[in-house]
Amino acid sequence: MVAASLLKSSFLPKKSEWGATRQSAAAPRPATVSVVVRASAYADELVKTAKTIASPGRGILAMDESNATCGKRLASIGLENTEANRQAYRTLLVTAPGLGQYISGAILFEETLYQSAVDGRKIVDILVEQGIVPGIKVDKGLVPLAGSNNESWCQGLDGLASREAAYYQQGARFAKWRTVVSIPNGPSELAVKEAAWGLARYAAISQDNGLVPIVEPEILLDGEHGIERTFEVAQKVWAETFYAMAENNVMFEGILLKPSMVTPGAEAKDRATPAQVAEYTLKLLHRRIPPAVPGIMFLSGGQSEVEATQNLNAMNQGANPWHVSFSYARALQNTCLKTWGGQPEKVKAAQDALLLRAKANSLAQLGKYTSDGEAAEAKEGMFVKNYSY
Amino acid sequence: MSAFVGKYTVYNSRARADELIKTAKYLATPGKGILASDESTGTIGKRLSSINLENVESNRQALRELLFTAPGVFDYLSGVILFEETLYQTTSDGTPFMDVIRAGGAVPGIKVDKGTVEIAGTNGETTAQGLDSLGARCAKYYEAGARFAKWRAVLKVGPAEPSELAVRQNAEGLARYALICQEFGLVPIVEPEILTDGGHDIKTCAAVTERILAAVYKSLNDHKVLLEGTLLKTNMVTPGSDSPKVGAEVIAEYTVAALRRTVPPAVPGVVFLSGGQSEEEATQNLDAMNKLEVLKPWTLSFSFGRALQQSTLKKWLGKKENVAAAQATFLVRCKANSEAGLGKHTGSGAGDAAASESLYVKGYKY
């Protein structure tokens, strides 16, 4: 069992010290003004963790597929959805040699956070040894939003604080919550406000419990809309999300964002080049993201592996006020998964495929990627209509 | 830039949007700042009476002529905010002030709010007036040559202030004003000022500033104001006027942190108000901010009224024979703040006793 400094928590100040900056009861209690400037016991650690994840040339490996979703992945290569198979697959991913050169954080599903690898070591420990910060998916999935236009909202706030405290003890240092917004369904004002508020509540609770919140309002790719419409909706969603977070006193130096890139809908007539995606996406970021936020880790949302890399690369052709990087699941794992096919003798080849994509995205983060030599398979789109995670 | 000003702006004119962006960028030129010379007739009367001058048009004209014709002053100023009367005034030899300013390469701007009134039911909190017929007035000012506008919203710190009502009302007022200005070709300077009055500490000022700026940008975004065609004019983050002072580096850190948390990079520049600080204090604080080794994607500069004019007024005293000396003093302040905007101020502008004089007035009414 490897003990790493990331897992030590003895330096934490006592909870009784947290209230030190609040005013005494002598004067009438302020009705509305907060005098605490977002000082929580974990403030310094949150800032440090966020900065570590947002380090140059690195991004996040999203491997937090729920058991059901992981089942779909395994089924696509003819494997049964058993714990053993999920363990084998996740072991393959986290033991890829030198993965930490390109990957700064890995998002886990709850099962994986408590799992051991095939050789008995704890998966979190393997990650820490690789120089990768472990993270944890904390939302409880999407359900229909009553009163909306068939839209969804994200559950998971009940008991979130104590769950996150436990995850922190287990070694997680960041969290992730994914909500969605659908353009074909509006989006309605209600759906956008709910998405923003849920994210803000989750972010505040996460920071209170030592986890850097990754804030993910995914604007789904589904639809025939053009890039201008996506841009308009994205501006609205991020304005609402940041205001909700400000109202919840979230400390922006200790969060990360996971936006979708600004692209046309999957069924739109006109496609966009990486340069166009970059132009619109960067414009969105410049208009909505305060520079205090250390990192913006894009989701791939159904783009092909190569598309996702090219778009990221296009966004990093000039200096940005925040680290602009990736938090990819399918766009990192697809070829790796197919190469493995569940066969032990293919593990090394699969790991090589993972490292290849990780390195490509690392270069893209630095603005230095070229697509010469990319395999045809990596260019295949992975959009699934009405995709549920 | 091409696509972003198409469908989703109120003015379906790329040319209009481009002009706003260009003007805002120029106003935010590093090393240049804005002269806030837009004191209303009532307020300028206070300045004139402080040097025993009558508040008549000729005196108001004489002061502004002194300022605008100071030789070389537009090396340091990118813009001048005017009051409506001044927009149509001339120098003593008949040259319109507008021409003087534009010949210097600077942009003339115009104050468009109509002062503040109390919000009934609050503890003395205010909202700014001036939205009625604002569009028509902006069109008129654009025709007269103005290319930016200014609207000052005022908030105060108290046990229960600023209230949610005051924050929302002022933020919405600023957003309405900003959108209308852009519709008629004027770059809106968005000015939420938190008064220093009070015994609160710098942390409280920081919390309140962040709260208000978050609300302001939410309103601007809801109203679809083109951020690239705006400027922010706000207070520095300082302790309250009744609290012990802190050093320039502390003010710089809190101020820049507050801005980094709230102001999107699309905004080209933040120009600070001086709000009662002495001339030298204001310069040093601005300088400290620009020396801070942290990423600031917007220009940090000045839009000073009192902190540019105080010692100049004292040198002038209304006398023709003092004009040259007064202009020299004015240039010293402009240059010092220009340097501060580049983080290069060395304190050489501190010679004048008047430069260190606090300009704080309790319960200051503009």
Side-chain angles (χ1 to χ4, degrees), chain A residues 231-268:
Chain A
F231 183 56
E232 187 188 26
V233 172
Q235 288 185 104
K236 168 79 172 156
V237 166
W238 283 106
E240 290 292 342
T241 303
F242 268 95
Y243 189 58
M245 289 198 287
E247 288 183 297
N248 279 272
N249 295 315
V250 173
M251 180 185 62
F252 294 157
E253 293 87 350
I255 67 174
L256 294 164
L257 307 183
K258 183 163 172 170
S260 33
M261 297 183 197
V262 180
T263 68
E267 290 121 344

mmCIF file of all heavy atoms in Angstrom, chain A residues 231-268:
data_model
loop_
_atom_site.group_PDB
_atom_site.id
_atom_site.type_symbol
_atom_site.label_atom_id
_atom_site.label_comp_id
_atom_site.label_asym_id
_atom_site.label_seq_id
_atom_site.Cartn_x
_atom_site.Cartn_y
_atom_site.Cartn_z
ATOM 1 N N PHE A 231 -23.863 29.171 -29.649
ATOM 2 C CA PHE A 231 -23.142 30.282 -29.031
ATOM 3 C C PHE A 231 -24.068 31.084 -28.126
ATOM 4 O O PHE A 231 -23.729 31.426 -26.994
ATOM 5 C CB PHE A 231 -22.552 31.149 -30.135
ATOM 6 C CG PHE A 231 -21.716 32.298 -29.667
ATOM 7 C CD1 PHE A 231 -20.627 32.104 -28.838
ATOM 8 C CD2 PHE A 231 -22.007 33.592 -30.082
ATOM 9 C CE1 PHE A 231 -19.841 33.176 -28.414
ATOM 10 C CE2 PHE A 231 -21.230 34.666 -29.664
ATOM 11 C CZ PHE A 231 -20.147 34.457 -28.833
ATOM 12 N N GLU A 232 -25.266 31.371 -28.622
ATOM 13 C CA GLU A 232 -26.221 32.153 -27.844
ATOM 14 C C GLU A 232 -26.603 31.418 -26.555
ATOM 15 O O GLU A 232 -26.621 32.000 -25.470
ATOM 16 C CB GLU A 232 -27.470 32.413 -28.686
ATOM 17 C CG GLU A 232 -28.453 33.360 -28.010
ATOM 18 C CD GLU A 232 -29.780 33.469 -28.754
ATOM 19 O OE1 GLU A 232 -30.157 32.519 -29.461
ATOM 20 O OE2 GLU A 232 -30.423 34.516 -28.613
ATOM 21 N N VAL A 233 -26.908 30.136 -26.700
ATOM 22 C CA VAL A 233 -27.307 29.345 -25.530
ATOM 23 C C VAL A 233 -26.155 29.216 -24.542
ATOM 24 O O VAL A 233 -26.337 29.339 -23.329
ATOM 25 C CB VAL A 233 -27.827 27.954 -25.958
ATOM 26 C CG1 VAL A 233 -28.066 27.064 -24.751
ATOM 27 C CG2 VAL A 233 -29.108 28.104 -26.779
ATOM 28 N N ALA A 234 -24.964 28.997 -25.061
ATOM 29 C CA ALA A 234 -23.796 28.854 -24.184
ATOM 30 C C ALA A 234 -23.552 30.126 -23.384
ATOM 31 O O ALA A 234 -23.239 30.085 -22.190
ATOM 32 C CB ALA A 234 -22.564 28.493 -25.008
ATOM 33 N N GLN A 235 -23.719 31.279 -24.019
ATOM 34 C CA GLN A 235 -23.536 32.541 -23.296
ATOM 35 C C GLN A 235 -24.524 32.640 -22.145
ATOM 36 O O GLN A 235 -24.194 33.083 -21.044
ATOM 37 C CB GLN A 235 -23.694 33.740 -24.238
ATOM 38 C CG GLN A 235 -22.522 33.906 -25.191
ATOM 39 C CD GLN A 235 -22.634 35.166 -26.031
ATOM 40 O OE1 GLN A 235 -21.962 36.146 -25.782
ATOM 41 N NE2 GLN A 235 -23.498 35.133 -27.025
ATOM 42 N N LYS A 236 -25.762 32.238 -22.422
ATOM 43 C CA LYS A 236 -26.811 32.296 -21.406
ATOM 44 C C LYS A 236 -26.504 31.333 -20.261
ATOM 45 O O LYS A 236 -26.571 31.694 -19.086
ATOM 46 C CB LYS A 236 -28.151 31.939 -22.077
ATOM 47 C CG LYS A 236 -29.285 31.679 -21.132
ATOM 48 C CD LYS A 236 -29.889 32.950 -20.610
ATOM 49 C CE LYS A 236 -31.150 32.655 -19.829
ATOM 50 N NZ LYS A 236 -31.457 33.713 -18.865
ATOM 51 N N VAL A 237 -26.151 30.102 -20.619
ATOM 52 C CA VAL A 237 -25.895 29.078 -19.598
ATOM 53 C C VAL A 237 -24.743 29.488 -18.687
ATOM 54 O O VAL A 237 -24.822 29.361 -17.464
ATOM 55 C CB VAL A 237 -25.605 27.720 -20.278
ATOM 56 C CG1 VAL A 237 -25.008 26.725 -19.292
ATOM 57 C CG2 VAL A 237 -26.883 27.161 -20.892
ATOM 58 N N TRP A 238 -23.680 30.004 -19.253
ATOM 59 C CA TRP A 238 -22.528 30.365 -18.419
ATOM 60 C C TRP A 238 -22.779 31.626 -17.607
ATOM 61 O O TRP A 238 -22.292 31.750 -16.484
ATOM 62 C CB TRP A 238 -21.254 30.452 -19.259
ATOM 63 C CG TRP A 238 -20.748 29.083 -19.563
ATOM 64 C CD1 TRP A 238 -20.810 28.421 -20.758
ATOM 65 C CD2 TRP A 238 -20.175 28.148 -18.631
ATOM 66 N NE1 TRP A 238 -20.296 27.147 -20.626
ATOM 67 C CE2 TRP A 238 -19.903 26.962 -19.339
ATOM 68 C CE3 TRP A 238 -19.867 28.212 -17.269
ATOM 69 C CZ2 TRP A 238 -19.327 25.844 -18.725
ATOM 70 C CZ3 TRP A 238 -19.287 27.100 -16.658
ATOM 71 C CH2 TRP A 238 -19.024 25.938 -17.384
ATOM 72 N N ALA A 239 -23.566 32.561 -18.140
ATOM 73 C CA ALA A 239 -23.919 33.745 -17.345
ATOM 74 C C ALA A 239 -24.695 33.302 -16.103
ATOM 75 O O ALA A 239 -24.414 33.734 -14.979
ATOM 76 C CB ALA A 239 -24.742 34.722 -18.165
ATOM 77 N N GLU A 240 -25.672 32.407 -16.305
ATOM 78 C CA GLU A 240 -26.485 31.922 -15.182
ATOM 79 C C GLU A 240 -25.623 31.136 -14.196
ATOM 80 O O GLU A 240 -25.764 31.287 -12.984
ATOM 81 C CB GLU A 240 -27.612 31.001 -15.685
ATOM 82 C CG GLU A 240 -28.716 31.691 -16.461
ATOM 83 C CD GLU A 240 -29.579 32.618 -15.625
ATOM 84 O OE1 GLU A 240 -29.581 32.528 -14.381
ATOM 85 O OE2 GLU A 240 -30.240 33.489 -16.232
ATOM 86 N N THR A 241 -24.757 30.295 -14.723
ATOM 87 C CA THR A 241 -23.954 29.433 -13.853
ATOM 88 C C THR A 241 -23.005 30.255 -12.995
ATOM 89 O O THR A 241 -22.892 30.020 -11.784
ATOM 90 C CB THR A 241 -23.184 28.414 -14.705
ATOM 91 O OG1 THR A 241 -24.116 27.670 -15.483
ATOM 92 C CG2 THR A 241 -22.392 27.456 -13.829
ATOM 93 N N PHE A 242 -22.336 31.235 -13.588
ATOM 94 C CA PHE A 242 -21.415 32.027 -12.781
ATOM 95 C C PHE A 242 -22.141 32.883 -11.761
ATOM 96 O O PHE A 242 -21.658 33.059 -10.636
ATOM 97 C CB PHE A 242 -20.462 32.857 -13.656
ATOM 98 C CG PHE A 242 -19.200 32.113 -13.916
ATOM 99 C CD1 PHE A 242 -19.051 31.359 -15.065
ATOM 100 C CD2 PHE A 242 -18.191 32.093 -12.971
ATOM 101 C CE1 PHE A 242 -17.898 30.607 -15.270
ATOM 102 C CE2 PHE A 242 -17.040 31.347 -13.163
ATOM 103 C CZ PHE A 242 -16.890 30.597 -14.319
ATOM 104 N N TYR A 243 -23.302 33.400 -12.137
ATOM 105 C CA TYR A 243 -24.015 34.213 -11.161
ATOM 106 C C TYR A 243 -24.507 33.344 -10.006
ATOM 107 O O TYR A 243 -24.410 33.724 -8.838
ATOM 108 C CB TYR A 243 -25.178 34.956 -11.810
ATOM 109 C CG TYR A 243 -25.780 35.965 -10.872
ATOM 110 C CD1 TYR A 243 -24.987 36.977 -10.329
ATOM 111 C CD2 TYR A 243 -27.104 35.882 -10.486
ATOM 112 C CE1 TYR A 243 -25.515 37.896 -9.446
ATOM 113 C CE2 TYR A 243 -27.639 36.810 -9.598
ATOM 114 C CZ TYR A 243 -26.841 37.812 -9.083
ATOM 115 O OH TYR A 243 -27.371 38.716 -8.203
ATOM 116 N N ALA A 244 -25.027 32.171 -10.334
ATOM 117 C CA ALA A 244 -25.482 31.265 -9.274
ATOM 118 C C ALA A 244 -24.315 30.904 -8.353
ATOM 119 O O ALA A 244 -24.465 30.856 -7.128
ATOM 120 C CB ALA A 244 -26.094 30.010 -9.886
ATOM 121 N N MET A 245 -23.145 30.657 -8.921
ATOM 122 C CA MET A 245 -21.988 30.323 -8.097
ATOM 123 C C MET A 245 -21.574 31.503 -7.230
ATOM 124 O O MET A 245 -21.203 31.332 -6.069
ATOM 125 C CB MET A 245 -20.817 29.859 -8.968
ATOM 126 C CG MET A 245 -21.051 28.490 -9.585
ATOM 127 S SD MET A 245 -19.545 27.695 -10.164
ATOM 128 C CE MET A 245 -19.190 28.668 -11.618
ATOM 129 N N ALA A 246 -21.663 32.720 -7.781
ATOM 130 C CA ALA A 246 -21.328 33.909 -6.982
ATOM 131 C C ALA A 246 -22.300 34.021 -5.811
ATOM 132 O O ALA A 246 -21.888 34.293 -4.676
ATOM 133 C CB ALA A 246 -21.376 35.164 -7.847
ATOM 134 N N GLU A 247 -23.567 33.790 -6.073
ATOM 135 C CA GLU A 247 -24.564 33.863 -4.997
ATOM 136 C C GLU A 247 -24.309 32.817 -3.924
ATOM 137 O O GLU A 247 -24.643 33.020 -2.759
ATOM 138 C CB GLU A 247 -25.978 33.657 -5.562
ATOM 139 C CG GLU A 247 -26.489 34.839 -6.363
ATOM 140 C CD GLU A 247 -27.917 34.614 -6.837
ATOM 141 O OE1 GLU A 247 -28.138 33.668 -7.617
ATOM 142 O OE2 GLU A 247 -28.797 35.385 -6.446
ATOM 143 N N ASN A 248 -23.729 31.699 -4.322
ATOM 144 C CA ASN A 248 -23.422 30.630 -3.370
ATOM 145 C C ASN A 248 -22.029 30.740 -2.779
ATOM 146 O O ASN A 248 -21.552 29.807 -2.129
ATOM 147 C CB ASN A 248 -23.600 29.269 -4.063
ATOM 148 C CG ASN A 248 -25.049 28.829 -4.108
ATOM 149 O OD1 ASN A 248 -25.545 28.192 -3.183
ATOM 150 N ND2 ASN A 248 -25.755 29.194 -5.173
ATOM 151 N N ASN A 249 -21.367 31.893 -3.028
ATOM 152 C CA ASN A 249 -20.047 32.153 -2.456
ATOM 153 C C ASN A 249 -19.006 31.097 -2.818
ATOM 154 O O ASN A 249 -18.155 30.730 -1.999
ATOM 155 C CB ASN A 249 -20.139 32.289 -0.926
ATOM 156 C CG ASN A 249 -20.946 33.505 -0.537
ATOM 157 O OD1 ASN A 249 -20.771 34.581 -1.094
ATOM 158 N ND2 ASN A 249 -21.873 33.325 0.381
ATOM 159 N N VAL A 250 -19.070 30.606 -4.026
ATOM 160 C CA VAL A 250 -18.065 29.661 -4.501
ATOM 161 C C VAL A 250 -16.774 30.428 -4.786
ATOM 162 O O VAL A 250 -16.805 31.537 -5.303
ATOM 163 C CB VAL A 250 -18.572 28.968 -5.790
ATOM 164 C CG1 VAL A 250 -17.487 28.101 -6.410
ATOM 165 C CG2 VAL A 250 -19.813 28.147 -5.484
ATOM 166 N N MET A 251 -15.640 29.833 -4.415
ATOM 167 C CA MET A 251 -14.345 30.472 -4.629
ATOM 168 C C MET A 251 -13.811 30.069 -6.005
ATOM 169 O O MET A 251 -13.445 28.917 -6.224
ATOM 170 C CB MET A 251 -13.368 30.025 -3.534
ATOM 171 C CG MET A 251 -11.984 30.651 -3.676
ATOM 172 S SD MET A 251 -10.783 30.034 -2.476
ATOM 173 C CE MET A 251 -10.691 28.311 -2.888
ATOM 174 N N PHE A 252 -13.769 31.020 -6.930
ATOM 175 C CA PHE A 252 -13.462 30.678 -8.316
ATOM 176 C C PHE A 252 -12.034 30.216 -8.546
ATOM 177 O O PHE A 252 -11.764 29.541 -9.542
ATOM 178 C CB PHE A 252 -13.789 31.860 -9.241
ATOM 179 C CG PHE A 252 -15.258 32.182 -9.302
ATOM 180 C CD1 PHE A 252 -15.684 33.440 -9.678
ATOM 181 C CD2 PHE A 252 -16.218 31.234 -8.983
ATOM 182 C CE1 PHE A 252 -17.042 33.751 -9.742
ATOM 183 C CE2 PHE A 252 -17.579 31.532 -9.031
ATOM 184 C CZ PHE A 252 -17.991 32.791 -9.413
ATOM 185 N N GLU A 253 -11.122 30.578 -7.631
ATOM 186 C CA GLU A 253 -9.743 30.087 -7.799
ATOM 187 C C GLU A 253 -9.654 28.587 -7.519
ATOM 188 O O GLU A 253 -8.629 27.969 -7.789
ATOM 189 C CB GLU A 253 -8.787 30.847 -6.855
ATOM 190 C CG GLU A 253 -8.605 32.328 -7.171
ATOM 191 C CD GLU A 253 -9.661 33.216 -6.520
ATOM 192 O OE1 GLU A 253 -10.657 32.694 -5.974
ATOM 193 O OE2 GLU A 253 -9.485 34.447 -6.547
ATOM 194 N N GLY A 254 -10.719 28.029 -6.946
ATOM 195 C CA GLY A 254 -10.692 26.614 -6.582
ATOM 196 C C GLY A 254 -11.732 25.783 -7.308
ATOM 197 O O GLY A 254 -12.256 24.818 -6.741
ATOM 198 N N ILE A 255 -12.050 26.153 -8.550
ATOM 199 C CA ILE A 255 -12.966 25.341 -9.353
ATOM 200 C C ILE A 255 -12.305 25.051 -10.693
ATOM 201 O O ILE A 255 -11.311 25.675 -11.057
ATOM 202 C CB ILE A 255 -14.326 26.031 -9.619
ATOM 203 C CG1 ILE A 255 -14.165 27.263 -10.526
ATOM 204 C CG2 ILE A 255 -15.018 26.404 -8.325
ATOM 205 C CD1 ILE A 255 -15.478 27.901 -10.954
ATOM 206 N N LEU A 256 -12.874 24.108 -11.425
ATOM 207 C CA LEU A 256 -12.496 23.879 -12.818
ATOM 208 C C LEU A 256 -13.799 23.818 -13.603
ATOM 209 O O LEU A 256 -14.834 23.460 -13.053
ATOM 210 C CB LEU A 256 -11.722 22.564 -12.958
ATOM 211 C CG LEU A 256 -10.362 22.536 -12.272
ATOM 212 C CD1 LEU A 256 -9.862 21.101 -12.128
ATOM 213 C CD2 LEU A 256 -9.344 23.349 -13.078
ATOM 214 N N LEU A 257 -13.740 24.158 -14.871
ATOM 215 C CA LEU A 257 -14.944 24.092 -15.688
ATOM 216 C C LEU A 257 -14.823 22.932 -16.668
ATOM 217 O O LEU A 257 -13.726 22.577 -17.098
ATOM 218 C CB LEU A 257 -15.126 25.390 -16.486
ATOM 219 C CG LEU A 257 -15.099 26.699 -15.707
ATOM 220 C CD1 LEU A 257 -15.371 27.854 -16.657
ATOM 221 C CD2 LEU A 257 -16.112 26.682 -14.577
ATOM 222 N N LYS A 258 -15.967 22.374 -17.024
ATOM 223 C CA LYS A 258 -15.992 21.360 -18.073
ATOM 224 C C LYS A 258 -17.117 21.712 -19.030
ATOM 225 O O LYS A 258 -18.238 21.208 -18.930
ATOM 226 C CB LYS A 258 -16.187 19.957 -17.475
ATOM 227 C CG LYS A 258 -16.138 18.847 -18.533
ATOM 228 C CD LYS A 258 -15.919 17.468 -17.904
ATOM 229 C CE LYS A 258 -16.074 16.344 -18.924
ATOM 230 N NZ LYS A 258 -15.641 15.024 -18.440
ATOM 231 N N PRO A 259 -16.824 22.633 -19.946
ATOM 232 C CA PRO A 259 -17.861 23.050 -20.892
ATOM 233 C C PRO A 259 -17.861 22.155 -22.131
ATOM 234 O O PRO A 259 -16.901 21.414 -22.374
ATOM 235 C CB PRO A 259 -17.428 24.469 -21.292
ATOM 236 C CG PRO A 259 -15.994 24.599 -20.882
ATOM 237 C CD PRO A 259 -15.580 23.381 -20.124
ATOM 238 N N SER A 260 -18.937 22.280 -22.905
ATOM 239 C CA SER A 260 -18.899 21.716 -24.255
ATOM 240 C C SER A 260 -18.341 22.808 -25.159
ATOM 241 O O SER A 260 -18.506 23.999 -24.883
ATOM 242 C CB SER A 260 -20.305 21.295 -24.705
ATOM 243 O OG SER A 260 -21.292 22.151 -24.176
ATOM 244 N N MET A 261 -17.683 22.401 -26.222
ATOM 245 C CA MET A 261 -17.187 23.387 -27.187
ATOM 246 C C MET A 261 -18.379 23.950 -27.942
ATOM 247 O O MET A 261 -19.459 23.335 -27.980
ATOM 248 C CB MET A 261 -16.220 22.720 -28.164
ATOM 249 C CG MET A 261 -14.987 22.166 -27.485
ATOM 250 S SD MET A 261 -13.862 21.463 -28.709
ATOM 251 C CE MET A 261 -12.809 20.466 -27.658
ATOM 252 N N VAL A 262 -18.192 25.116 -28.521
ATOM 253 C CA VAL A 262 -19.278 25.719 -29.295
ATOM 254 C C VAL A 262 -19.179 25.212 -30.728
ATOM 255 O O VAL A 262 -18.265 25.566 -31.471
ATOM 256 C CB VAL A 262 -19.205 27.257 -29.255
ATOM 257 C CG1 VAL A 262 -20.355 27.864 -30.068
ATOM 258 C CG2 VAL A 262 -19.279 27.747 -27.810
ATOM 259 N N THR A 263 -20.125 24.337 -31.071
ATOM 260 C CA THR A 263 -20.124 23.715 -32.399
ATOM 261 C C THR A 263 -21.546 23.739 -32.939
ATOM 262 O O THR A 263 -22.489 23.980 -32.191
ATOM 263 C CB THR A 263 -19.694 22.236 -32.323
ATOM 264 O OG1 THR A 263 -20.724 21.507 -31.629
ATOM 265 C CG2 THR A 263 -18.388 22.048 -31.579
ATOM 266 N N PRO A 264 -21.729 23.458 -34.220
ATOM 267 C CA PRO A 264 -23.107 23.289 -34.717
ATOM 268 C C PRO A 264 -23.693 22.014 -34.109
ATOM 269 O O PRO A 264 -22.956 21.153 -33.619
ATOM 270 C CB PRO A 264 -22.923 23.133 -36.231
ATOM 271 C CG PRO A 264 -21.516 23.479 -36.522
ATOM 272 C CD PRO A 264 -20.733 23.279 -35.264
ATOM 273 N N GLY A 265 -25.014 21.869 -34.130
ATOM 274 C CA GLY A 265 -25.634 20.640 -33.677
ATOM 275 C C GLY A 265 -25.211 19.475 -34.554
ATOM 276 O O GLY A 265 -24.759 19.666 -35.685
ATOM 277 N N ALA A 266 -25.365 18.266 -34.018
ATOM 278 C CA ALA A 266 -24.900 17.076 -34.739
ATOM 279 C C ALA A 266 -25.584 16.903 -36.081
ATOM 280 O O ALA A 266 -24.999 16.365 -37.019
ATOM 281 C CB ALA A 266 -25.126 15.838 -33.888
ATOM 282 N N GLU A 267 -26.842 17.374 -36.166
ATOM 283 C CA GLU A 267 -27.589 17.204 -37.422
ATOM 284 C C GLU A 267 -27.703 18.501 -38.208
ATOM 285 O O GLU A 267 -28.561 18.626 -39.086
ATOM 286 C CB GLU A 267 -28.983 16.646 -37.105
ATOM 287 C CG GLU A 267 -28.926 15.202 -36.637
ATOM 288 C CD GLU A 267 -29.529 15.013 -35.238
ATOM 289 O OE1 GLU A 267 -29.722 16.009 -34.513
ATOM 290 O OE2 GLU A 267 -29.800 13.869 -34.875
ATOM 291 N N ALA A 268 -26.859 19.470 -37.908
ATOM 292 C CA ALA A 268 -26.914 20.739 -38.644
ATOM 293 C C ALA A 268 -26.402 20.535 -40.053
ATOM 294 O O ALA A 268 -25.556 19.676 -40.303
ATOM 295 C CB ALA A 268 -26.065 21.789 -37.927
#
